[in-house]
Amino acid sequence: MPRNKYPEQTVEKILSAAERLFAQKGYAKTTLQDIIDTTGLSKGAVYHHFKSKEEIAAKVGDRLGARVAAEQQQLQHMLPHLCDDPQFFTMEYHDLLEMTVPLYITPMIRQGVADGSIQTESPEALGEAIFLLADLWLNPQTRPTTPA
């Protein structure tokens, strides 16, 4: 059998297929055979590069982590400059308020109202206030601050 001249392309093919399958079916429901079938490679070719599904998953996680880290680094460089632009700042906060507060913050406040740990007549307004103040006061990426 001839040697593969481009093993990095084979590894990329395996990892890309595994990433798609894990996203579609979940890790537990994706089998090594699914990955083999999706790539069109032989079982031996896959095992030549990876010992197990667990090793493939670890490499997929490394790739995802590297992508996220690169995006975060780009955002860290851009955010201070973008937040100085009032129009961008307003648009971004409007989008965040419409998505984040109703989906994540307000339900937690409603739970607190139900169990008596939070007292408010308007969970929606409290959610918006908490989100805005926490983000402005506590997020050093948008507004560099000191502990004081």
Side-chain angles (χ1 to χ4, degrees):
M1 178 179 279
R3 284 187 61 100
N4 182 354
K5 291 183 182 181
Y6 306 102
E8 64 279 349
Q9 290 178 353
T10 303
V11 168
E12 178 64 28
K13 188 175 191 177
I14 295 166
L15 294 176
S16 293
E19 185 177 328
R20 282 192 311 277
L21 288 165
F22 294 157
Q24 291 168 357
K25 299 172 67 168
Y27 172 78
K29 292 183 181 177
T30 299
T31 65
L32 197 54
Q33 190 61 51
D34 292 332
I35 296 168
I36 291 165
D37 293 345
T38 300
T39 61
L41 297 169
S42 69
K43 188 180 248 183
V46 173
Y47 276 112
H48 176 75
H49 296 285
F50 298 98
K51 294 176 188 161
S52 63
K53 181 176 92 166
E54 291 78 15
E55 185 180 1
I56 293 171
K59 293 293 183 187
V60 167
D62 291 347
R63 279 176 24 150
L64 292 171
R67 274 192 239 142
V68 168
E71 288 178 22
Q72 285 179 337
Q73 189 174 27
Q74 186 177 12
L75 273 173
Q76 284 176 337
H77 285 75
M78 287 179 12
L79 263 178
H81 304 290
L82 290 174
C83 288
D84 286 338
D85 179 334
Q87 186 177 7
F88 174 82
F89 192 74
T90 301
M91 289 183 334
E92 194 62 25
Y93 264 85
H94 178 72
D95 289 347
L96 286 170
L97 280 171
E98 284 189 359
M99 293 179 355
T100 304
V101 173
L103 290 174
Y104 301 104
I105 298 174
T106 302
M108 287 188 283
I109 294 171
R110 287 187 192 285
Q111 184 178 356
V113 169
D115 70 19
S117 62
I118 297 175
Q119 296 179 0
T120 181
E121 292 179 20
S122 178
E124 294 81 9
L126 181 58
E128 288 181 17
I130 288 172
F131 173 77
L132 289 171
L133 294 173
D135 198 39
L136 285 173
W137 289 341
L138 302 177
N139 190 342
Q141 293 177 343
T142 57
R143 292 283 183 228
T145 59
T146 65

